[in-house]
Amino acid sequence: MEREAGEASRGRTKSGASAQRFNVETNSEPQEMSCCTVVLWFFSILLISITFPITIWFCFKTVAEYERAILFRVGRLLPGGPKGPGLFFVIPCIDEIQVIDLRTLSFDVPPQEVLSKDSVTVTVDAVVYFRVQDPTMAVINVENYKRSTELLAATTLRNVLGTKTLAEVLSHRDEISNTLQSLLDDATDPWGVKVERVEIKDVRLPIQMQRAMAAEAEASREARAKVIAAEGEQNASRALKEAADIIAESPNALQLRYLQTLNSISAEKNSTIIFPLPIDILAGMMKR
Ligand SMILES: *[C@@H]1O[C@H](CO)[C@@H](O)[C@H](O)[C@H]1NC(C)=O
Ligand SMILES: *[C@@H]1O[C@H](CO)[C@@H](O)[C@H](O)[C@H]1NC(C)=O
């Protein structure tokens, strides 16, 4: 549902933007100034000429290397695109300028509580890097491109994470970041904004889930340890069986083994006397 709503809203912004973009294009065609504008323009120039030494200082504006200025003359966008960097000429009474920063900006997407596809609540936050690619569109098509991009990033994050399971969220962060980046970039195109990078900072799980996962990990480690111990036992018994088979091949070998054992016992407890009773004798008695 949420995702569909997101897509619908994205579609809306796109179609709205294309209509507006059409406006921009017609605007940028050279148009003859209306009579009123010409009069205003004439009086402004006259005023500047009369009060020349003082007003001339208000007629030049500068913008820095990384900025562009969008110029409106009596409310209409001036043809010729954004001005700058450097020095340019304005008519103080009838021109209005807006300066746009072209450097990469970043913001934190506030932690979002998202229900993943397998119904686990995770809290995810991210950081987004973007810059203005087209200053004219950033001024004309959207009231506040920074705030709009921020809000859109939060909803896109929710939409995308809602389609992923917890395991995917935890293990495919790069993939999710790339998806987010391309979705956001497409959606912000009409605003002249280029989303350069999206990084998922942190994925936090609820405490109960953390405990459950820790218990699961511990159990699987224990199971592995048991298997390894059992394998060792198996190997040891196999080796022991092989040794017994070799000893059984010649009875003298067993005799030698007895003597060896006696020797090692006597070295430790030299006051004890041991009399070995071969088991074979007992076996003979049992048979009878
Ligand atoms: C048991 O022996 C097999 C091969 O004979 C070996 O691959 C395995 O690592 C051994 N297991 C242990 C626990 O030493
Ligand atoms: C028996 O062993 C003890 C130490 O365990 C040693 O002091 C003693 O000399 C030994 N006796 C003989 C007869 O070897």
Side-chain angles (χ1 to χ4, degrees):
M1 269 302 276
E2 215 174 42
R3 193 177 159 72
E4 274 167 24
E7 250 151 30
S9 74
R10 208 171 304 136
R12 261 205 309 284
T13 51
K14 233 173 212 170
S15 59
S18 57
Q20 292 211 345
R21 215 179 303 169
F22 177 69
N23 273 344
V24 174
E25 273 155 20
T26 50
N27 252 354
S28 58
E29 276 168 20
Q31 73 243 330
E32 70 268 27
M33 289 187 194
S34 69
C35 174
C36 237
T37 313
V38 172
V39 173
L40 271 175
W41 183 78
F42 177 75
F43 276 115
S44 301
I45 295 289
L46 195 68
L47 199 69
I48 291 165
S49 326
I50 292 168
T51 57
F52 170 74
I54 303 156
T55 44
I56 196 70
W57 299 110
F58 299 104
C59 293
F60 290 103
K61 294 274 178 203
T62 53
V63 289
E65 186 66 40
Y66 53 83
E67 288 171 335
R68 296 292 179 274
I70 308 296
L71 218 63
F72 294 94
R73 180 154 297 164
V74 271
R76 308 216 60 171
L77 184 71
L78 274 196
K83 304 274 185 289
L87 198 68
F88 58 93
F89 183 78
V90 294
I91 303 170
C93 313
I94 57 173
D95 283 358
E96 187 193 325
I97 66 167
Q98 280 198 33
V99 178
I100 295 283
D101 196 330
L102 297 186
R103 292 177 293 184
T104 297
L105 303 165
S106 62
F107 61 85
D108 285 319
V109 180
Q112 302 288 317
E113 246 183 38
V114 187
L115 195 66
S116 71
K117 199 177 172 188
D118 47 355
S119 302
V120 181
T121 319
V122 286
T123 311
V124 181
D125 54 357
V127 59
V128 176
Y129 297 89
F130 72 103
R131 65 186 162 79
V132 174
Q133 204 171 28
D134 188 331
T136 313
M137 276 153 94
V139 170
I140 284 184
N141 286 350
V142 61
E143 192 207 350
N144 185 341
Y145 66 90
K146 277 184 216 165
R147 175 109 185 98
S148 305
T149 310
E150 276 179 41
L151 291 176
L152 192 69
T155 43
T156 313
L157 185 69
R158 298 181 76 92
N159 288 347
V160 168
L161 289 180
T163 64
K164 306 278 178 193
T165 61
L166 178 64
E168 281 171 337
V169 172
L170 291 176
S171 55
H172 300 341
R173 280 202 202 184
D174 286 351
E175 212 177 280
I176 294 174
S177 297
N178 287 343
T179 315
L180 276 172
Q181 190 260 336
S182 60
L183 277 179
L184 263 180
D185 196 22
D186 287 349
T188 53
D189 268 352
W191 306 335
V193 168
K194 165 95 187 132
V195 176
E196 292 179 329
R197 251 182 119 78
V198 179
E199 294 289 341
I200 291 180
K201 275 204 306 194
D202 196 10
V203 179
R204 257 165 291 161
L205 294 169
I207 303 279
Q208 290 146 313
M209 194 67 205
Q210 279 177 18
R211 267 194 221 127
M213 282 177 82
E216 191 190 334
E218 203 182 320
S220 75
R221 259 200 305 278
E222 238 167 55
R224 264 206 304 279
K226 276 180 188 161
V227 167
I228 290 170
E231 238 178 57
E233 201 91 339
Q234 204 184 359
N235 286 5
S237 62
R238 199 177 296 135
L240 210 60
K241 180 184 172 294
E242 273 168 26
D245 284 350
I246 292 167
I247 288 172
E249 274 170 22
S250 105
N252 287 340
L254 197 61
Q255 195 65 36
L256 284 174
R257 190 82 185 83
Y258 271 136
L259 293 174
Q260 214 176 353
T261 313
L262 277 182
N263 196 23
S264 59
I265 291 172
S266 62
E268 245 177 61
K269 301 190 170 163
N270 52 13
S271 56
T272 315
I273 296 167
I274 293 174
F275 176 71
L277 177 71
I279 305 289
D280 307 12
I281 294 172
L282 283 181
M285 282 166 78
M286 294 284 273
K287 246 181 225 167
R288 240 182 275 161

